Amino acid sequence: MPQLTSDTSRVENIDFWENLYRTNVTPWDLGQAAPPFRTFLDSPYAIPRGTIGVLGCGSGHECLLFAEKGFEVVGIDFAPSAIAATQKKFEDAGLFKKNGFVVQRDMFDLHHLYGRFDYILEHTCFCAIDPSKRRTYSYTVKDLLKVGGKLVALWWLLEKRGGPPFSTDQSEIFDLFKNDFRFDIIHRPNDSVADRQNKELFTVLTRMK
Ligand SMILES: C[S@@+](CC[C@H](N)C(=O)[O-])C[C@H]1O[C@@H](n2cnc3c(N)ncnc32)[C@H](O)[C@@H]1O
């Protein structure tokens, strides 16, 4: 993904993201669900159907993938254009308000949904937020999940200055989640898109308490 800006405070602003969608500057958008999610759902390790919240869902590729597999999907994003694109994907597939739902809201203001989800999905949302909010992100994921619920995540392991996307590594992710979550799957995918090859980590974590 090309460098967008180095100003961490900007990424907390809806207008920053909305403007990128409106001007079609969305280099994170793969035009499809990330292949490791599809591979996972077709594997013997796939999770059973349930309710899944997709944080920072963007234009909704993962939302559609999971909805087509029969999950009840709630796409969450604060940018109106992202929500509109996700809703359109659900509508085109005949799944909107059947098992595809959208919530246009700040992901750090979702108290009404606490304990609601069997699963939370992470894909290039963690690396998009201000790095100083990462601990809050981990608490938000925990609070949104039922006890025993799972975080299904594809982490983009970046080493760079500035962002978004902002750098992270495996040890930071372990540190953020190790107190409240069990790591069930830790996997280096071999089917990442070309410019993310060897830079992604796929994990499934279970909320333990
Ligand atoms: C890099 S994009 C990733 C989109 C999508 N997950 C994907 O992989 O294509 C980050 C998304 O997170 C959303 N976002 C960033 N901060 C957010 C927040 N605090 N609450 C809700 N959405 C947020 C942005 O609007 C944007 O759609």
Side-chain angles (χ1 to χ4, degrees):
M1 188 195 299
Q3 181 86 5
L4 297 174
T5 175
S6 289
D7 182 350
T8 52
S9 63
R10 276 205 210 176
V11 295
E12 302 202 333
N13 188 334
I14 296 172
D15 292 341
F16 168 77
W17 293 100
E18 180 61 14
N19 185 48
L20 292 172
Y21 284 108
R22 288 194 185 192
T23 53
N24 286 317
V25 183
T26 56
W28 60 82
D29 194 312
L30 302 180
Q32 60 171 335
F37 288 119
R38 193 175 292 280
T39 301
F40 172 63
L41 288 179
D42 291 337
S43 80
Y45 306 103
I47 46 177
R49 290 175 184 172
T51 305
I52 185 163
V54 181
L55 297 179
C57 65
S59 69
H61 300 295
E62 278 81 26
C63 289
L64 182 62
L65 171 68
F66 279 76
E68 285 177 336
K69 293 282 187 185
F71 289 77
E72 182 181 299
V73 179
V74 181
I76 299 158
D77 204 295
F78 62 10
S81 292
I83 287 298
T86 300
Q87 179 170 327
K88 182 164 189 325
K89 283 191 179 61
F90 285 147
E91 285 170 348
D92 290 349
L95 301 176
F96 185 55
K97 293 196 174 168
K98 195 171 156 213
N99 63 322
F101 302 87
V102 290
V103 172
Q104 186 190 327
R105 202 165 173 121
D106 192 315
M107 56 173 277
F108 298 113
D109 182 22
L110 292 173
H111 305 84
H112 62 299
L113 295 177
Y114 280 5
R116 158 88 199 277
F117 294 101
D118 299 307
Y119 310 107
I120 292 292
L121 185 135
E122 155 60 42
H123 182 225
T124 69
C125 178
F126 180 80
C127 66
I129 61 172
D130 182 336
S132 70
K133 297 200 83 169
R134 287 179 173 176
R135 180 67 63 184
T136 307
Y137 172 99
S138 71
Y139 293 147
T140 298
V141 170
K142 178 186 173 190
D143 287 339
L144 289 169
L145 285 169
K146 301 171 182 171
V147 174
K150 295 177 190 296
L151 171 62
V152 179
L154 184 63
W155 310 96
W156 194 3
L157 304 181
L158 292 147
E159 258 185 86
K160 65 193 276 293
R161 292 169 71 90
F166 297 101
S167 295
T168 190
D169 59 25
Q170 187 166 316
S171 66
E172 181 183 22
I173 293 159
F174 278 40
D175 190 52
L176 284 171
F177 290 95
K178 67 182 181 199
N179 289 340
D180 297 319
F181 287 80
R182 182 185 69 217
F183 283 69
D184 296 333
I185 296 177
I186 306 168
H187 169 63
R188 290 282 189 154
N190 57 13
D191 55 355
S192 301
V193 295
D195 66 349
R196 298 185 195 175
Q197 284 282 327
N198 304 315
K199 293 180 194 151
E200 289 187 319
L201 183 72
F202 181 85
T203 62
V204 178
L205 282 59
T206 298
R207 176 183 170 182
M208 298 306 290
K209 53 186 178 176

